[in-house]
Every structure is written in structure tokens, then in C-alpha cells.
């Protein structure tokens, strides 16, 4: 299968497109059967999940993953960063583990971006790991604090968002922007759509409404399943959702209150099985300049 190239988005994918499958003991299997991909020619992403029962909670027994994600989208809370959207710079702090041929590259990235594409990045690199069969652990995070920082300054147009603003409010339209409609019936479609949502959430700030739309896109992914309550490498509590497609298993950890993506990880099988990538989204917000992170968010 040949996948079309989208210059801005594809540049982000090697570092940000999901990651290793950290299947924690707290995760529980879905209580409902996962839907099969629709290969009839009707875009699977255009069919929303069955509406959940009234007053249901996302962790209730007997719900599908799509119903749980719909509940999260309908009930998510605002964050402090949702009230500071008038400030000129968005801020994201990420920690990533990314496959690069035969090694794992470990990076801590702090990124300030203006709407005109200018901004600043501060990157710290922990030593690369030989091989790709690696399971990131919480103890590795301290390595970033000991690494020397590298600063990159970007002129207008140098820092591209994953998608042009504003992010669409319609889930079907957002899904088509993340993955072309002609790929809907392909085996890799669930993986690509999950990766698109991850790329979006790890590239630009999403407000409350945009987070809800992203959750509704996840709810439409063919075969997505619920993994139960879990924690990420930063010891934050979340709900796990899995997407298995074309020799890949991606796990997304979602904050059950705000609907924010806390972490995502992907492992692949095949000729070179192992970790594909792992990302933690540690801080989001807005700020007045590129010197300091936001005080809240």
C-alpha cells in the first residue's frame, strides 16, 4: 500500500506517532466485541458508535470503547489552559522514545509556538539505546534532567502545526483530514487514524471543544477496544484504549476528566518487532513569551 505524503504531518510522525504498548496490569479487556473494519466502501469513520445509555459513566461495565469515548467527549471538564487562549504562544512539554533504524532515541522537548509559526524549542537527549526491543520505564525520565539542552529558534513559518487552525468541530471532517478517505478500507486505516489523533495532540494545543472532537474521532476507529484504568510513566491516572492493526498495537491513555491525551505508545511485530514509539504529554498551555512555561495548564 502506498500512503500519500503530507509534508508537515509526516515530519512529525517518526517522533510523535504513538508508541510502545505498555500493557499495565490494571488494564481490563473490553466487555463487548470489537467491531470489524468496514470494507464495503462506506467510510467507517463516518459511522458514529451506538449512543451510550443515559447517565452512564465511561468506566461502567458492558460499554464498547466507542461508547466510553463518546461519554468522555460529552462530559469532559475544562483545564486552566482553556482560559488562557488569548496569550500569543502555545506551550507543549513532551518526552519521547522513538525508533530510528536499529536504536531508540530518547528526547525531552519543550516547545513554544506562535500562530505565525515562529517559536522556540529546548531539546534534551538521553543516550540512545541500541536495539528496538525496549520497554520505557519511569526511572529513565530523570536522565533528561541531566542532559545538556539544545535550543532551536524558529522564524515565522518554521514551526508547523499538525493541522491548520481551526481544527474542525465535525469528527467526520477531522477524520478525513487526518487520513484520506480513500484509505478507509485499508488494513492500516485504524493505525493511521489513531496515529493522526496522537500527532495532532502532540503537536498543537487542543481546547475543550477540540479535545471532544478528537475523542469522537477515536470512537469511530474500527476495532478500537477499551483496556481499563491505567497509569502512565509519570504516574498519572488515565483510561487505556487499544488499536491493533497491520502488525501494530497502539495504546492511548486518556485523562478521564479533561479528555487530554496523557500518553501513547506503539509496538510492532513482523521482521523487526519491538518498540515503535512512546510519548508522554506532560504540560500544555499558553504563555506570553518563549522564555518560560505557563504558570498553569
Amino acid at each position: 500500500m502506498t500512503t500519500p505524503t503530507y509534508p508537515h504531518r509526516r515530519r512529525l510522525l517518526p517522533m510523535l506517532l504513538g508508541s510502545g504498548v505498555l500493557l499495565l496490569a490494571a488494564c481490563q479487556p473490553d466487555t463487548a466485541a470489537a467491531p470489524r473494519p468496514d470494507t464495503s466502501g462506506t467510510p467507517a469513520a463516518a459511522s458514529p458508535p451506538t449512543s451510550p445509555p443515559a447517565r452512564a459513566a465511561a468506566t461502567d461495565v458492558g460499554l464498547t470503547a466507542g461508547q466510553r469515548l463518546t461519554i468522555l467527549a460529552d462530559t469532559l471538564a475544562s483545564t486552566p489552559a482553556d482560559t488562557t487562549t488569548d496569550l500569543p504562544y502555545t506551550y507543549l512539554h513532551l518526552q519521547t522514545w522513538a525508533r530510528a533504524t536499529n536504536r531508540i532515541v530518547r528526547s525531552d522537548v519543550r516547545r513554544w509556538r506562535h500562530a505565525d509559526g515562529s517559536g522556540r524549542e529546548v531539546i534534551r537527549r538521553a543516550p540512545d539505546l541500541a536495539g528496538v526491543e525496549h520497554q520505557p520505564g519511569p526511572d529513565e525520565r530523570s536522565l533528561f534532567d541531566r542532559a545538556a539542552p539544545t535550543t532551536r529558534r524558529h522564524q515565522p513559518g518554521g514551526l508547523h502545526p499538525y493541522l491548520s487552525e481551526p481544527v474542525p468541530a465535525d469528527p467526520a471532517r477531522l477524520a478525513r483530514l487526518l487520513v484520506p478517505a480513500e484509505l478507509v478500507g485499508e488494513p492500516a486505516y485504524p493505525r493511521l487514524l489513531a496515529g493522526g489523533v496522537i500527532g495532532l495532540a502532540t503537536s498543537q494545543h487542543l481546547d475543550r471543544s477540540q479535545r471532544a472532537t478528537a475523542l469522537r474521532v477515536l470512537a469511530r476507529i474500527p476495532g478500537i477496544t477499551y483496556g481499563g484504568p491505567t497509569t502512565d510513566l509519570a504516574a498519572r491516572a488515565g483510561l487505556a484504549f487499544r488499536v491493533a492493526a497491520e502488525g501494530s498495537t497502539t495504546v492511548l491513555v486518556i485523562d478521564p476528566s479533561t479528555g487530554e491525551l496523557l500518553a501513547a505508545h506503539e509496538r510492532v511485530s513482523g521482521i523487526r518487532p519491538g518498540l515503535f514509539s512512546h510519548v508522554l504529554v506532560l504540560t500544555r498551555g499558553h504563555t506570553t513569551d518563549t522564555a518560560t512555561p505557563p504558570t498553569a495548564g
Side-chain angles (χ1 to χ4, degrees), residues 9-85:
R9 284 182 271 168
R10 293 297 178 252
R11 277 201 295 266
L12 294 166
L13 291 182
M15 177 168 60
L16 303 178
L17 211 179
S19 16
V21 67
L22 192 64
L23 300 181
L24 302 178
C27 294
Q28 299 297 322
D30 241 355
T31 55
R36 295 181 179 274
D38 181 359
T39 57
S40 64
T42 300
S47 300
T50 303
S51 297
R55 296 184 297 278
T59 53
D60 284 355
V61 173
L63 300 178
T64 67
Q67 290 173 328
R68 297 175 196 278
L69 287 160
T70 299
I71 291 170
L72 292 176
D74 290 342
T75 61
L76 60 83
S78 296
T79 70
D82 292 333
T83 66
T84 57
T85 56

Side-chain angles (χ1 to χ4, degrees), residues 123-147:
I123 301 171
R124 296 175 185 268
R125 287 271 302 272
D128 294 352
L129 297 172
V132 294
E133 187 51 66
H134 178 63
Q135 184 96 320
D139 56 311
E140 294 179 54
R141 299 185 58 229
S142 63
L143 298 175
F144 297 123
D145 296 330
R146 300 196 292 270

